[in-house]
Amino acid sequence: MKRKWVIGLSILLGLLLASIAIYTKEARLAAKYGSGNELEGEMVNGTLPVIEDKAQLNKYFYQIIKEEKQNQKFFTAIKEDKASEESSMDNAASDTSSKASGQEVSGTNVQVQGIDEADIVKTDGEYIYQVVDGRVNIISAKSAEKMEHVASIQFQQTFSPSQLFLDKGQLLIIGYSYSYETNTAEKKVAADSLYAPMNEMTRALVYDVKDPTKPILEREISLEGYLSSARKIGSKVYLIANHFPQYWLLEDGDEVDLRPRYSDSVNKEEATSVSYDEIQYIPGSKEANYTTIAAFDLAEPSQEAKITTYLGSGGQLYMSKENLYLALMNWRSADEREEAFTPRTMIYKFGINQLEVTFQGSTEVVGTVLNQFSMDEHNGYFRIATTEGDSWDESKPSKNHLIVFDKNLKQVGALSDLAKGERIYSARFMGDRIYIVTFKETDPLFVIDASEPSNPTILGELKIPGFSNYLHPYDENHIIGFGYDTKLVTMEGDKEPRVLTEGVKLSLFDITDVSNPKEKFTEIIGGRGTYSPLNYDHKALLYKRENGLFAFPINVYESVKGNEYEQKFIFQGAYVYNVSLDKGFSLKSKISHMKGKELYEEWDNEIQRLVYIDKQLYALSHSKISSYSLENYQFISELELN
């Protein structure tokens, strides 16, 4: 009994000493950096205030440390590894198809016509460039009968390529690298705190590929942090990175440099920290990370990149030809006293003028944003669709909103409390017409008129089984839905039926009569377990409106009779459809790189992308590229890439 009493006393003494140590450290930091009020400052002529010096920046992050401790009830550890969040995150009005050498060439399926998005495969009509297994393959497709692997760009183990842009003989390879190298002061603080900091850099490598057989590295730009997104207008590239500094190291010493770093080989190879007076912040902001935007011109390889840095993150990105919008889930703004803790979304708007990126304003909306397709700009108005609450909490059911802002981000209209108890699964903005799909047990497709920004109005609604998590325009009165079929299953003891996803579902919606939208045609592929990259990545779609080509990678499973939880693998590859208003979806071909009738998926033979050049179709996997005729889909040839 005495031994237990001694152990208990020791534990209490340890807690008391820990409390004194924490209190002493907090008192020391408070004395150095102040009481913890938010950074003061105000916008002047639309310009954000900037950080003045190291002391002000350290004060900003100390305030965040203090608030986190208060929120976590004093004893909660705050040394959460924010660096773990620095992993690559990441649907299309038309693709970026073009004419090259007199041939018609497919491009990446993008959201906004004229604004290219980085992808794992690009082609110029003669050569195909592919990111795969830590390298970039360059394949000659001048002849579909005799394709040739002409070059591979290899990299050191510290760099992993992930996406590509291609522009008039220049190949931009975007990826990331990790290192444990840092400045001397940070090394000392890290050593004292027994913490080994790992730095992540987003890197953009520009290669001259005028002779694709001999790619030449021309330029390198690096931004500290993970890649948020990238866009290209003409030859101008906009690269956005998010960086979470290791601000908790402030507790062990203020020598640590918390500024993000960048480099541009036009100036020098070595990374340098952004100047304090170039770090902008939004008055009242409490964001613990940075967003850095690098704007540069592929046509001007010797021109210095324009770097814009501000305190605050950006998750989802929408970009028009004039503006760039970043949407960030803002947990800090929610009222913790509310029973239903609902995050809000911060919207940051930046104006784009050539390489100049300037802050235009910010606003906050209730709820969260699904993806980039939940945002749009039309005739100077910014529209956004959000979901508030939890669709499975009956006491406080979810609801959805469509909110309209003017060019100054002042709210001018809204459609609130849409489809209570459900959440948004997809959205598509097409000028004055907006389509939103919500789901819980059935798929309501809402047709919304936004021609009067101050009063968006529901014109019609269609309820069908399943849901679409990607919507693709066909014409002004028809839209294609890509998602899943579902069924309701009621088990003994269940209060409500359960929703089970079944096969992948294609729908052709007819909205000629806006008050009475119809599901004109449907196609269901496989059973439970079937999936396609197109369910979460719009760039996986190959679409050609002129001849109705609609193709995508897919892995197909079929259900086993008598067991709703067991599935059998039957196909891996790509499905090629023709879609028309007369016949709906007509399956034209199944393309596969599998070696035989395997029982399991083959990672190296999984088709990732399809492209077309003139009258030939190409399918690319990790291991090979194969070609087919677009006239009859007959196999032409294949090339091993290993």
Side-chain angles (χ1 to χ4, degrees), residues 167-195:
D167 187 83
K168 297 179 181 177
Q170 288 188 303
L171 178 68
L172 175 61
I173 303 172
I174 304 171
Y176 61 91
S177 62
Y178 291 95
S179 72
Y180 291 93
E181 297 177 7
T182 185
N183 59 68
T184 304
E186 191 169 330
K187 282 181 179 178
K188 180 180 181 302
V189 174
D192 293 341
S193 62
L194 301 178
Y195 180 77

Side-chain angles (χ1 to χ4, degrees), residues 425 437 439-443 463-470 481-489 498-507 509 519 521-532 535 554 557 559 564 567:
Y425 271 67
V437 169
F439 180 77
K440 185 175 182 181
E441 294 181 355
T442 58
D443 171 359
K463 288 190 176 182
I464 53 174
F467 59 85
S468 299
N469 48 20
Y470 174 65
F482 191 94
Y484 284 102
D485 188 30
T486 60
K487 70 176 180 180
L488 299 179
V489 177
R498 289 179 297 150
V499 180
L500 298 181
T501 57
E502 293 291 291
V504 164
K505 180 181 181 181
L506 286 74
S507 301
F509 297 107
E519 188 179 37
F521 295 103
T522 62
E523 174 85 355
I524 297 175
I525 306 171
R528 186 170 174 81
T530 300
Y531 68 94
S532 168
N535 287 117
I554 192 165
Y557 288 77
S559 301
E564 67 182 56
Q567 299 83 40

Side-chain angles (χ1 to χ4, degrees), residues 96 108 110 112 114-118 122 165-166 230-233:
T96 53
T108 300
V110 299
V112 179
I115 301 179
D116 197 9
E117 301 181 30
K122 295 284 185 178
F165 279 122
L166 187 61
R231 297 291 188 272
K232 186 173 77 71
I233 302 177

Side-chain angles (χ1 to χ4, degrees), residues 200-261:
E200 180 178 5
M201 300 290 285
T202 293
R203 294 172 62 189
L205 311 179
V206 182
Y207 281 83
D208 183 333
V209 289
K210 293 182 180 64
D211 180 358
T213 66
K214 298 177 181 179
I216 300 172
L217 180 61
E218 194 173 59
R219 183 181 187 182
E220 178 177 343
I221 297 171
S222 296
L223 303 175
E224 189 166 18
Y226 68 83
L227 175 66
S228 175
S229 196
R231 297 291 188 272
K232 186 173 77 71
I233 302 177
S235 60
K236 296 175 178 61
V237 176
Y238 304 88
L239 192 68
I240 300 97
N242 284 171
H243 171 55
F244 289 83
Q246 296 150 354
Y247 59 87
W248 52 90
L249 293 179
L250 268 178
E251 291 195 298
D252 297 295
D254 58 5
E255 299 88 354
V256 60
D257 188 347
L258 296 176
R259 295 173 294 170
R261 298 176 301 155

